PDB file of all heavy atoms in Angstrom:
ATOM      1  N   TYR Z   5     -78.675 -31.147  -5.940  1.00  0.00           N
ATOM      2  CA  TYR Z   5     -79.272 -29.992  -6.556  1.00  0.00           C
ATOM      3  C   TYR Z   5     -78.277 -28.992  -6.962  1.00  0.00           C
ATOM      4  O   TYR Z   5     -78.477 -28.248  -7.992  1.00  0.00           O
ATOM      5  CB  TYR Z   5     -80.227 -29.388  -5.447  1.00  0.00           C
ATOM      6  CG  TYR Z   5     -81.468 -30.103  -5.125  1.00  0.00           C
ATOM      7  CD1 TYR Z   5     -81.776 -30.543  -3.861  1.00  0.00           C
ATOM      8  CD2 TYR Z   5     -82.315 -30.535  -6.161  1.00  0.00           C
ATOM      9  CE1 TYR Z   5     -82.963 -31.292  -3.561  1.00  0.00           C
ATOM     10  CE2 TYR Z   5     -83.463 -31.192  -5.989  1.00  0.00           C
ATOM     11  CZ  TYR Z   5     -83.744 -31.533  -4.615  1.00  0.00           C
ATOM     12  OH  TYR Z   5     -84.921 -32.343  -4.340  1.00  0.00           O
ATOM     13  N   VAL Z   8     -77.164 -30.153 -10.343  1.00  0.00           N
ATOM     14  CA  VAL Z   8     -78.211 -30.054 -11.369  1.00  0.00           C
ATOM     15  C   VAL Z   8     -78.335 -28.537 -11.696  1.00  0.00           C
ATOM     16  O   VAL Z   8     -78.399 -28.241 -12.908  1.00  0.00           O
ATOM     17  CB  VAL Z   8     -79.579 -30.549 -10.751  1.00  0.00           C
ATOM     18  CG1 VAL Z   8     -80.663 -30.079 -11.695  1.00  0.00           C
ATOM     19  CG2 VAL Z   8     -79.524 -32.063 -10.677  1.00  0.00           C
ATOM     20  N   LYS Z  32     -93.483  -5.680 -14.940  1.00  0.00           N
ATOM     21  CA  LYS Z  32     -94.073  -5.442 -13.708  1.00  0.00           C
ATOM     22  C   LYS Z  32     -93.896  -4.046 -13.152  1.00  0.00           C
ATOM     23  O   LYS Z  32     -94.763  -3.372 -12.704  1.00  0.00           O
ATOM     24  CB  LYS Z  32     -93.626  -6.436 -12.683  1.00  0.00           C
ATOM     25  CG  LYS Z  32     -94.322  -6.298 -11.265  1.00  0.00           C
ATOM     26  CD  LYS Z  32     -95.055  -7.517 -10.902  1.00  0.00           C
ATOM     27  CE  LYS Z  32     -95.676  -7.407  -9.481  1.00  0.00           C
ATOM     28  NZ  LYS Z  32     -96.675  -6.308  -9.359  1.00  0.00           N
ATOM     29  N   GLN Z  35     -96.030  -1.742 -15.276  1.00  0.00           N
ATOM     30  CA  GLN Z  35     -97.397  -2.014 -14.831  1.00  0.00           C
ATOM     31  C   GLN Z  35     -97.741  -1.405 -13.526  1.00  0.00           C
ATOM     32  O   GLN Z  35     -98.885  -0.831 -13.283  1.00  0.00           O
ATOM     33  CB  GLN Z  35     -97.798  -3.385 -14.854  1.00  0.00           C
ATOM     34  CG  GLN Z  35     -97.819  -4.026 -16.230  1.00  0.00           C
ATOM     35  CD  GLN Z  35     -97.855  -5.551 -16.296  1.00  0.00           C
ATOM     36  OE1 GLN Z  35     -97.773  -6.179 -15.304  1.00  0.00           O
ATOM     37  NE2 GLN Z  35     -97.829  -6.160 -17.512  1.00  0.00           N
ATOM     38  N   GLU Z  40     -91.240   3.860 -16.851  1.00  0.00           N
ATOM     39  CA  GLU Z  40     -91.754   3.807 -18.251  1.00  0.00           C
ATOM     40  C   GLU Z  40     -90.875   3.196 -19.225  1.00  0.00           C
ATOM     41  O   GLU Z  40     -91.232   2.786 -20.346  1.00  0.00           O
ATOM     42  CB  GLU Z  40     -92.235   5.155 -18.746  1.00  0.00           C
ATOM     43  CG  GLU Z  40     -93.536   5.700 -18.295  1.00  0.00           C
ATOM     44  CD  GLU Z  40     -93.599   6.125 -16.789  1.00  0.00           C
ATOM     45  OE1 GLU Z  40     -92.723   6.625 -16.303  1.00  0.00           O
ATOM     46  OE2 GLU Z  40     -94.570   5.813 -16.217  1.00  0.00           O
ATOM     47  N   CYS Z  41     -89.486   3.254 -18.901  1.00  0.00           N
ATOM     48  CA  CYS Z  41     -88.512   2.775 -19.747  1.00  0.00           C
ATOM     49  C   CYS Z  41     -87.358   2.063 -18.973  1.00  0.00           C
ATOM     50  O   CYS Z  41     -86.933   2.733 -17.946  1.00  0.00           O
ATOM     51  CB  CYS Z  41     -87.875   3.996 -20.530  1.00  0.00           C
ATOM     52  SG  CYS Z  41     -86.512   3.572 -21.523  1.00  0.00           S
ATOM     53  N   ASP Z  47     -78.452  -9.424 -18.209  1.00  0.00           N
ATOM     54  CA  ASP Z  47     -79.388 -10.013 -17.300  1.00  0.00           C
ATOM     55  C   ASP Z  47     -79.575  -9.187 -16.009  1.00  0.00           C
ATOM     56  O   ASP Z  47     -79.860  -9.829 -14.969  1.00  0.00           O
ATOM     57  CB  ASP Z  47     -79.127 -11.424 -17.009  1.00  0.00           C
ATOM     58  CG  ASP Z  47     -80.271 -12.276 -16.528  1.00  0.00           C
ATOM     59  OD1 ASP Z  47     -81.374 -11.919 -16.889  1.00  0.00           O
ATOM     60  OD2 ASP Z  47     -80.116 -13.138 -15.524  1.00  0.00           O
ATOM     61  N   LEU Z  61     -87.059   7.604 -22.696  1.00  0.00           N
ATOM     62  CA  LEU Z  61     -86.100   6.782 -23.618  1.00  0.00           C
ATOM     63  C   LEU Z  61     -85.014   7.757 -24.101  1.00  0.00           C
ATOM     64  O   LEU Z  61     -83.883   7.370 -24.249  1.00  0.00           O
ATOM     65  CB  LEU Z  61     -86.951   6.183 -24.885  1.00  0.00           C
ATOM     66  CG  LEU Z  61     -86.096   5.403 -25.831  1.00  0.00           C
ATOM     67  CD1 LEU Z  61     -85.228   4.328 -25.177  1.00  0.00           C
ATOM     68  CD2 LEU Z  61     -87.136   4.811 -26.804  1.00  0.00           C
ATOM     69  N   HIS Z  68     -76.950   6.868 -21.308  1.00  0.00           N
ATOM     70  CA  HIS Z  68     -76.391   5.593 -21.279  1.00  0.00           C
ATOM     71  C   HIS Z  68     -76.312   4.898 -22.642  1.00  0.00           C
ATOM     72  O   HIS Z  68     -76.459   3.824 -22.820  1.00  0.00           O
ATOM     73  CB  HIS Z  68     -77.338   4.722 -20.449  1.00  0.00           C
ATOM     74  CG  HIS Z  68     -77.548   5.206 -19.053  1.00  0.00           C
ATOM     75  ND1 HIS Z  68     -76.646   5.251 -18.073  1.00  0.00           N
ATOM     76  CD2 HIS Z  68     -78.711   5.904 -18.547  1.00  0.00           C
ATOM     77  CE1 HIS Z  68     -77.026   5.826 -17.020  1.00  0.00           C
ATOM     78  NE2 HIS Z  68     -78.347   6.170 -17.220  1.00  0.00           N
ATOM     79  N   GLU Z 105     -97.366  -1.474 -35.302  1.00  0.00           N
ATOM     80  CA  GLU Z 105     -96.831  -2.328 -36.405  1.00  0.00           C
ATOM     81  C   GLU Z 105     -95.762  -1.577 -37.168  1.00  0.00           C
ATOM     82  O   GLU Z 105     -94.832  -2.282 -37.583  1.00  0.00           O
ATOM     83  CB  GLU Z 105     -98.057  -2.449 -37.470  1.00  0.00           C
ATOM     84  CG  GLU Z 105     -99.170  -3.316 -36.747  1.00  0.00           C
ATOM     85  CD  GLU Z 105    -100.466  -3.367 -37.709  1.00  0.00           C
ATOM     86  OE1 GLU Z 105    -100.466  -2.592 -38.685  1.00  0.00           O
ATOM     87  OE2 GLU Z 105    -101.375  -4.047 -37.377  1.00  0.00           O
ATOM     88  N   ASN Z 112     -87.346  -4.477 -36.964  1.00  0.00           N
ATOM     89  CA  ASN Z 112     -86.833  -5.670 -37.658  1.00  0.00           C
ATOM     90  C   ASN Z 112     -86.032  -5.438 -38.868  1.00  0.00           C
ATOM     91  O   ASN Z 112     -85.063  -6.137 -39.141  1.00  0.00           O
ATOM     92  CB  ASN Z 112     -88.174  -6.540 -38.058  1.00  0.00           C
ATOM     93  CG  ASN Z 112     -88.879  -7.033 -36.904  1.00  0.00           C
ATOM     94  OD1 ASN Z 112     -90.068  -7.655 -37.040  1.00  0.00           O
ATOM     95  ND2 ASN Z 112     -88.355  -7.089 -35.721  1.00  0.00           N
ATOM     96  N   SER Z 119     -90.909  -7.802 -29.146  1.00  0.00           N
ATOM     97  CA  SER Z 119     -92.105  -8.509 -28.473  1.00  0.00           C
ATOM     98  C   SER Z 119     -92.985  -7.370 -27.991  1.00  0.00           C
ATOM     99  O   SER Z 119     -92.515  -6.286 -27.813  1.00  0.00           O
ATOM    100  CB  SER Z 119     -91.555  -9.467 -27.371  1.00  0.00           C
ATOM    101  OG  SER Z 119     -90.828  -8.734 -26.411  1.00  0.00           O
ATOM    102  N   HIS Z 125    -102.156  -0.550 -34.665  1.00  0.00           N
ATOM    103  CA  HIS Z 125    -101.667  -0.068 -36.029  1.00  0.00           C
ATOM    104  C   HIS Z 125    -100.766   1.176 -35.962  1.00  0.00           C
ATOM    105  O   HIS Z 125     -99.632   1.066 -36.561  1.00  0.00           O
ATOM    106  CB  HIS Z 125    -102.909   0.176 -36.874  1.00  0.00           C
ATOM    107  CG  HIS Z 125    -102.535   0.655 -38.308  1.00  0.00           C
ATOM    108  ND1 HIS Z 125    -101.923  -0.178 -39.185  1.00  0.00           N
ATOM    109  CD2 HIS Z 125    -102.750   1.785 -38.970  1.00  0.00           C
ATOM    110  CE1 HIS Z 125    -101.764   0.346 -40.353  1.00  0.00           C
ATOM    111  NE2 HIS Z 125    -102.240   1.623 -40.230  1.00  0.00           N
ATOM    112  N   GLN Z 140     -95.597  11.633 -36.223  1.00  0.00           N
ATOM    113  CA  GLN Z 140     -95.726  12.427 -37.553  1.00  0.00           C
ATOM    114  C   GLN Z 140     -94.299  12.915 -37.960  1.00  0.00           C
ATOM    115  O   GLN Z 140     -93.974  12.883 -39.160  1.00  0.00           O
ATOM    116  CB  GLN Z 140     -96.621  13.664 -37.317  1.00  0.00           C
ATOM    117  CG  GLN Z 140     -98.074  13.314 -37.268  1.00  0.00           C
ATOM    118  CD  GLN Z 140     -98.950  14.469 -36.925  1.00  0.00           C
ATOM    119  OE1 GLN Z 140     -98.415  15.705 -36.752  1.00  0.00           O
ATOM    120  NE2 GLN Z 140    -100.194  14.281 -36.903  1.00  0.00           N
ATOM    121  N   GLY Z 144     -92.229   8.001 -42.493  1.00  0.00           N
ATOM    122  CA  GLY Z 144     -91.587   7.843 -43.853  1.00  0.00           C
ATOM    123  C   GLY Z 144     -90.052   8.115 -43.802  1.00  0.00           C
ATOM    124  O   GLY Z 144     -89.416   7.927 -44.849  1.00  0.00           O
ATOM    125  N   VAL Z 153     -82.979  12.996 -35.465  1.00  0.00           N
ATOM    126  CA  VAL Z 153     -82.780  14.474 -35.673  1.00  0.00           C
ATOM    127  C   VAL Z 153     -84.181  15.076 -35.801  1.00  0.00           C
ATOM    128  O   VAL Z 153     -84.526  16.114 -35.234  1.00  0.00           O
ATOM    129  CB  VAL Z 153     -81.873  14.773 -36.920  1.00  0.00           C
ATOM    130  CG1 VAL Z 153     -81.966  16.274 -37.277  1.00  0.00           C
ATOM    131  CG2 VAL Z 153     -80.453  14.307 -36.492  1.00  0.00           C
ATOM    132  N   LYS Z 157     -86.052  17.851 -33.224  1.00  0.00           N
ATOM    133  CA  LYS Z 157     -86.520  19.182 -33.752  1.00  0.00           C
ATOM    134  C   LYS Z 157     -87.926  19.415 -33.425  1.00  0.00           C
ATOM    135  O   LYS Z 157     -88.438  20.356 -33.010  1.00  0.00           O
ATOM    136  CB  LYS Z 157     -86.407  19.246 -35.274  1.00  0.00           C
ATOM    137  CG  LYS Z 157     -84.923  19.516 -35.633  1.00  0.00           C
ATOM    138  CD  LYS Z 157     -84.826  19.689 -37.213  1.00  0.00           C
ATOM    139  CE  LYS Z 157     -83.359  19.928 -37.581  1.00  0.00           C
ATOM    140  NZ  LYS Z 157     -83.204  19.884 -39.084  1.00  0.00           N
TER     141      LYS Z 157
END
Side-chain angles (χ1 to χ4, degrees):
Y5 288 124
V8 169
K32 177 121 176 66
Q35 291 165 359
E40 276 74 38
C41 176
D47 199 38
L61 182 52
H68 305 288
E105 293 169 354
N112 290 167
S119 60
H125 180 64
Q140 289 174 357
V153 169
K157 283 182 183 175

